[in-house]
């Protein structure tokens, strides 16, 4: 289970939580413009926009979970179990495997509008990367600083929804999640007004009561409502540090804590990583479950005209600054 969101202050930010019971050795991966993306049913992408995001590296091939390209377009795939339906290759269509979808879009498109043109000809196919990697059932959020859409390959075909909240979780399908926000139209960041009865002098007895009824459970439907409310009412300064900090607070509202979501195999779902990419500057920030210190990778510090992806393992282990260290040297516990 995962949650993705967008945010705008002075710059545009795109990120997500990745919630699962174990990791696959994810890394921050910068793919330069001249890396050759070999596609199973189409000609290879040999020249394309550079991109940065989280991927699992298989040899030199990045299997992207989420990424942002150098034009500021971001895309993330989230679990959509039981609803995703991919098809067999069809003549006359752009047959793209699920694992190729993110680089295929981000490699060629600078905006959501450009992506809409490509999506009119796509056929998402069920081709597996390998026998060791089953096809993931996903749907996707695609966003730039001006708009966001949700893309779902389901039984009746490919559905593309305008996403006015810039948020995506998992099930049910996006149109049902968006409609459910109507049930929470009474929520407010302001204190409530007594509408119960004019005959009773009812008064708020705590701050934050305007949001009473905001769902707090860990289901994807409830996380959608909670992060949408948090994001849509979020206020931050425009500096980079203020904006990045605020974005992590937004996604922190839906973080998964070990022990609260027990699975049938006795494992627990946790937030493996949380990301925030400044899409305008190409800086990818992240934290992990065991490391709350924000780590950053700047795409523009790499050779974007190269041919080989550059990848950095996620920094693990809690980094705690001892404020009253004996000397001025930073001491970590």
């Amino acid at each position: 289970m995962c949650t993705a969101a967008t945010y705008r202050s002075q710059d545009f930010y795109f990120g997500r939580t990745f919630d699962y019971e174990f990791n696959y050795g994810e890394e921050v991966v910068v793919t330069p413009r001249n890396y050759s993306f070999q596609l199973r049913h189409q000609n290879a992408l040999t020249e394309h926009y550079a991109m940065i995001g989280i991927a699992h590296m298989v040899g030199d091939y990045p299997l992207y979970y989420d990424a942002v390209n150098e034009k500021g377009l971001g895309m993330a795939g989230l679990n959509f179990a039981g609803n995703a339906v991919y098809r067999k290759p069809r003549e006359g269509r752009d047959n793209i495997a699920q694992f190729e979808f993110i680089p295929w879009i981000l490699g060629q498109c600078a905006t959501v509008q450009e992506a809409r043109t490509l999506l009119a000809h796509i056929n998402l196919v069920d081709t597996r990367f390998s026998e060791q990697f089953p096809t993931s059932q996903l749907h996707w959020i695609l966003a730039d600083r001006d708009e966001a859409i949700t893309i779902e390959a389901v039984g009746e075909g490919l559905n593309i929804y305008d996403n006015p909240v810039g948020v995506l979780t998992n099930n049910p399908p996006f149109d049902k999640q968006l409609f459910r926000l109507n049930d929470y139209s009474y929520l407010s960041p302001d204190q409530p007004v007594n509408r119960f009865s004019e005959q009773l002098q009812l008064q708020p007895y705590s701050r934050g009561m305007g949001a009473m009824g905001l769902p707090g459970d860990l289901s994807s439907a409830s996380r959608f409502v909670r992060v949408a409310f948090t994001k849509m009412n979020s206020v931050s300064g425009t500096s980079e540090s203020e904006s990045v900090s605020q974005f992590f607070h937004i996604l922190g509202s839906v973080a998964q804590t070990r022990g609260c979501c027990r699975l049938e195999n006795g494992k627990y779902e946790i937030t493996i990583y949380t990301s925030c990419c400044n899409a305008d500057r190409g800086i990818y920030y992240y934290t992990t479950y065991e490391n709350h210190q924000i780590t950053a990778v700047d795409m523009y510090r790499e050779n974007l005209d190269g041919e080989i992806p550059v990848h950095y393992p996620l920094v693990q282990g809690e980094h705690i600054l001892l404020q009253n260290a004996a000397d001025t040297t930073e001491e970590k516990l």
Side-chain angles (χ1 to χ4, degrees):
M1 297 298 197
C2 309
T3 304
T6 62
Y7 185 64
R8 278 186 62 179
S9 56
Q10 181 170 315
D11 290 338
F12 171 59
Y13 299 87
F14 181 90
R16 55 97 56 84
T17 64
F18 179 76
D19 305 327
Y20 211 57
E21 64 267 33
F22 59 86
N23 66 59
Y24 291 91
E26 298 84 12
E27 300 181 273
V28 179
V29 180
V30 178
T31 301
R33 302 178 184 113
N34 295 309
Y35 171 77
S36 181
F37 276 109
Q38 299 297 316
L39 305 179
R40 299 298 174 86
H41 306 286
Q42 305 291 129
N43 292 330
L45 282 176
T46 55
E47 296 180 358
H48 50 78
Y49 294 130
M51 62 194 75
I52 184 171
I54 294 280
H56 174 62
M57 294 295 296
V58 183
D60 70 346
Y61 196 99
L63 295 171
Y64 274 110
Y65 302 9
D66 57 84
V68 171
N69 71 13
E70 61 183 292
K71 297 298 182 179
L73 184 65
M75 189 172 184
L78 284 73
N79 279 337
F80 194 44
N83 285 302
V85 176
Y86 309 124
R87 288 166 169 75
K88 300 298 181 184
R90 293 168 51 195
E91 189 173 348
R93 307 292 290 182
D94 291 328
N95 296 296
I96 302 299
Q98 160 264 314
F99 64 87
E100 302 167 337
F101 193 24
I102 289 178
W104 188 72
I105 290 289
L106 297 187
Q108 302 178 83
C109 301
T111 64
V112 170
Q113 284 299 319
E114 289 184 12
R116 289 180 189 270
T117 301
L118 276 189
L119 291 170
H121 305 283
I122 194 174
N123 178 38
L124 280 171
V125 301
D126 59 2
T127 303
R128 297 170 64 157
F129 181 80
S130 69
E131 289 300 316
Q132 291 72 39
F133 291 90
T135 301
S136 298
Q137 295 188 46
L138 304 175
H139 60 172
W140 294 267
I141 182 172
L142 179 69
D144 58 29
R145 65 166 33 248
D146 296 317
E147 62 176 322
I149 59 174
T150 297
I151 305 159
E152 296 180 343
V154 293
E156 61 267 26
L158 189 71
N159 290 332
I160 301 172
Y161 300 101
D162 291 333
N163 187 333
V165 294
V167 168
L168 186 65
T169 57
N170 311 104
N171 289 310
F174 180 74
D175 58 335
K176 294 180 174 61
Q177 295 212 31
L178 189 63
F179 181 81
R180 189 165 178 252
L181 294 183
N182 287 289
D183 296 339
Y184 299 94
S185 61
Y186 62 89
L187 296 181
S188 170
D190 300 320
Q191 290 291 75
V193 175
N194 176 21
R195 294 187 176 90
F196 188 90
S197 172
E198 294 180 354
Q199 302 174 53
L200 298 173
Q201 298 299 313
L202 302 179
Q203 299 290 333
Y205 54 83
S206 171
R207 293 180 177 179
M209 293 181 66
M212 288 187 72
L214 183 67
D217 64 87
L218 302 179
S219 68
S220 56
S222 293
R223 283 186 285 107
F224 181 87
V225 175
R226 192 158 69 255
V227 81
F229 176 81
T230 305
K231 176 256 173 96
M232 299 297 284
N233 290 287
S234 178
V235 178
S236 76
T238 59
S239 72
E240 182 72 349
S241 61
E242 291 171 305
S243 301
V244 170
S245 175
Q246 188 75 349
F247 193 93
F248 278 100
H249 280 296
I250 292 169
L251 288 182
S253 69
V254 290
Q256 301 273 46
T257 301
R258 181 180 287 115
C260 294
C261 181
R262 183 166 52 221
L263 307 177
E264 292 179 357
N265 58 10
K267 294 183 180 295
Y268 297 94
E269 182 165 284
I270 62 172
T271 297
I272 302 289
Y273 72 83
T274 303
S275 68
C276 166
C277 186
N278 184 322
D280 294 328
R281 302 186 191 183
I283 304 174
Y284 194 96
Y285 302 91
Y286 70 88
T287 61
T288 66
Y289 191 84
E290 301 291 350
N291 180 19
H292 289 79
Q293 182 186 65
I294 297 174
T295 305
V297 178
D298 186 342
M299 178 168 69
Y300 290 99
R301 291 177 179 262
E302 308 297 337
N303 176 16
L304 297 186
D305 289 319
E307 299 179 356
I308 301 174
V310 179
H311 46 104
Y312 297 92
L314 300 189
V315 177
Q316 304 288 350
E318 203 67 75
H319 288 56
I320 301 174
L321 176 66
L322 181 60
Q323 189 172 7
N324 63 337
D327 55 35
T328 58
T329 304
E330 209 175 80
E331 184 176 340
K332 300 290 180 63
L333 297 177

